[in-house]
Amino acid sequence: MDCPLARLQSLALPEEESFAGNLAAGLARTPKEIACKYFYDAAGSQLFEQICELPEYYQTRTEMMLLGRHAGEIAALMGENVELVEFGAGSLRKVRILLDEAKNIGAYTPLDISGNYLGDVVRALASDYPALTLRPLIGDFTCLLEIPALPGNPRRAGFFPGSTIGNFRPDAAAGLLRRMRASLGGGGLLIGVDLVKDPARLHAAYNDPAGITALFNKNLMVRANRELGADFDPDAFAHYAPYNASAHRVEMYLVSLKRQSVTIGSMQFDFASGEPVHTEDSHKYTIESFRELAARAGFSPRAVWTDEERLFSVHWLESR
Ligand code: AVJ
């Protein structure tokens, strides 16, 4: 099957920024920060896949279990003749769970920022689902997107698993949901959201004893060294990921273990001993607090599924 990658047209770009630009600006700021979307180069994506396998990281396996358990019900809510649009498609592992059950999904539009990876995984999907209309698109899901209509105008449903929504502050998350709703042109959204829970459980998920999450965090510096010729010493920084209970989020930092300077090209950045670089927020919601957020973004929250331990949730939202 031939499914060429199309580059999407963005109507509103929350300014496209290079890793070099983000890094230079973020390290010049106080407090220092690096945007979490830069975790996912080839090495970082592989480390993230390893995180998903960790016994402490319950999110991925719980969400996949929920999708499998409720795929029939989800399919029924989506209706007939559906085009599923996945925001930030990645490995395409989760959509297979839906496709295996939901025969009403006739078309699948995976959207991802990385064209190389998308091309490979889409080819594999095409051979496993020969009847599926596949329309991979390269684009940034944080933007408002003009997704051309498919022939026959199938009803659109969005798919945004993995609790990636947690990487955004609640106001930004509401804005993102609003843009997704507009990009879908109405239609529903199936979204995975990690839940608030015992802080010890959250802490364990981001501080695995095998040190994979630390490597994932420090990969930002390894990547800067490789791609930008920076001279970070990753061993001179500590992975620090506490749960901030009043803000309902895990905050991830790289903390300088000594006073040191790092050069990136002609720029020098000074770190005090103990100085943090903020690298990620991972917001957690209650089922109710997420439904309120969705309503703020113009969705009517409909069905919600959770596991026995209430670790993770999957929500079906409909456009109002
Ligand atoms: C991919 C954003 C859902 O926040 O749990 C895993 C990324 N960071 N371990 C998350 C992540 C540290 C992950 N998300």
Side-chain angles (χ1 to χ4, degrees):
M1 187 188 200
D2 187 33
C3 31
L5 293 170
R7 207 164 269 281
L8 255 197
Q9 192 178 340
S10 303
L11 301 177
L13 269 178
E15 92 281 341
E16 194 68 59
E17 203 181 15
S18 66
F19 180 40
N22 177 270
L23 193 65
L27 295 183
R29 220 165 277 149
T30 311
K32 291 180 169 63
E33 60 184 353
I34 306 173
C36 63
K37 66 177 166 186
Y38 298 107
F39 281 132
Y40 303 96
D41 66 345
S45 300
Q46 217 164 348
L47 285 165
F48 179 65
E49 292 300 316
Q50 278 179 257
I51 288 174
C52 295
E53 303 292 323
L54 291 170
E56 297 83 10
Y57 198 77
Y58 54 85
Q59 294 188 43
T60 313
R61 77 180 67 87
T62 309
E63 183 176 45
M64 305 239 297
M65 180 277 286
L66 289 172
L67 291 174
R69 185 186 278 178
H70 302 289
E73 199 184 334
I74 290 167
L77 286 165
M78 286 182 177
E80 285 313 306
N81 187 23
V82 173
E83 175 196 0
L84 192 68
V85 178
E86 181 165 358
F87 296 102
S91 73
L92 309 191
R93 213 147 39 101
K94 290 170 187 168
V95 75
R96 288 169 177 264
I97 303 171
L98 296 177
L99 294 174
D100 287 341
E101 190 69 34
K103 301 302 171 205
N104 53 328
I105 300 175
Y108 175 53
T109 299
L111 171 74
D112 207 277
I113 195 98
S114 161
N116 295 332
Y117 191 49
L118 188 61
D120 292 345
V121 290
V122 161
R123 251 185 300 280
L125 194 79
S127 75
D128 293 342
Y129 300 87
L132 189 68
T133 300
L134 264 165
R135 192 251 302 250
L137 297 173
I138 299 170
D140 182 342
F141 67 72
T142 64
C143 304
L144 178 62
L145 302 161
E146 191 157 46
I147 306 171
L150 283 175
N153 250 315
R155 172 203 307 247
R156 271 194 189 139
F159 185 38
F160 191 38
S163 202
T164 306
I165 193 71
N167 285 157
F168 299 82
R169 298 268 165 104
D171 282 340
L176 175 58
L177 291 177
R178 216 170 248 294
R179 281 193 296 282
M180 286 181 170
R181 195 166 62 83
S183 298
L184 291 167
L189 178 67
L190 185 69
I191 181 170
V193 182
D194 196 21
L195 298 175
V196 293
K197 58 182 59 66
D198 182 345
R201 189 93 196 242
L202 286 167
H203 190 270
Y206 292 82
N207 293 276
D208 60 291
I212 307 296
T213 309
L215 287 178
F216 174 71
N217 198 5
K218 291 185 183 188
N219 180 58
L220 286 170
M221 294 181 167
V222 176
R223 178 179 179 182
N225 289 351
R226 190 184 55 249
E227 285 184 17
L228 311 173
D231 63 353
F232 282 104
D233 173 8
D235 294 335
F237 290 84
H239 165 71
Y240 181 56
Y243 178 59
N244 178 340
S246 37
H248 312 287
R249 65 180 180 233
V250 175
E251 299 172 357
M252 208 153 75
Y253 300 93
L254 290 161
V255 179
S256 180
L257 291 172
K258 60 182 189 192
R259 183 174 167 170
Q260 57 183 320
S261 298
V262 172
T263 60
I264 308 174
S266 60
M267 293 170 295
Q268 179 179 315
F269 299 95
D270 301 321
F271 295 78
S273 181
E275 184 174 357
V277 182
H278 180 235
T279 56
E280 186 181 55
D281 283 330
S282 196
H283 288 82
K284 310 304 172 187
Y285 292 87
T286 63
I287 284 173
E288 274 319 307
S289 69
F290 185 75
R291 285 166 69 93
E292 279 162 28
L293 182 81
R296 267 217 277 148
F299 281 107
S300 294
R302 300 283 190 212
V304 56
W305 301 275
T306 187
D307 54 292
E308 289 72 14
E309 292 182 274
R310 292 193 161 245
L311 296 176
F312 199 88
S313 60
V314 174
H315 300 247
W316 173 247
L317 314 173
E318 279 172 12
S319 217
R320 260 207 307 275

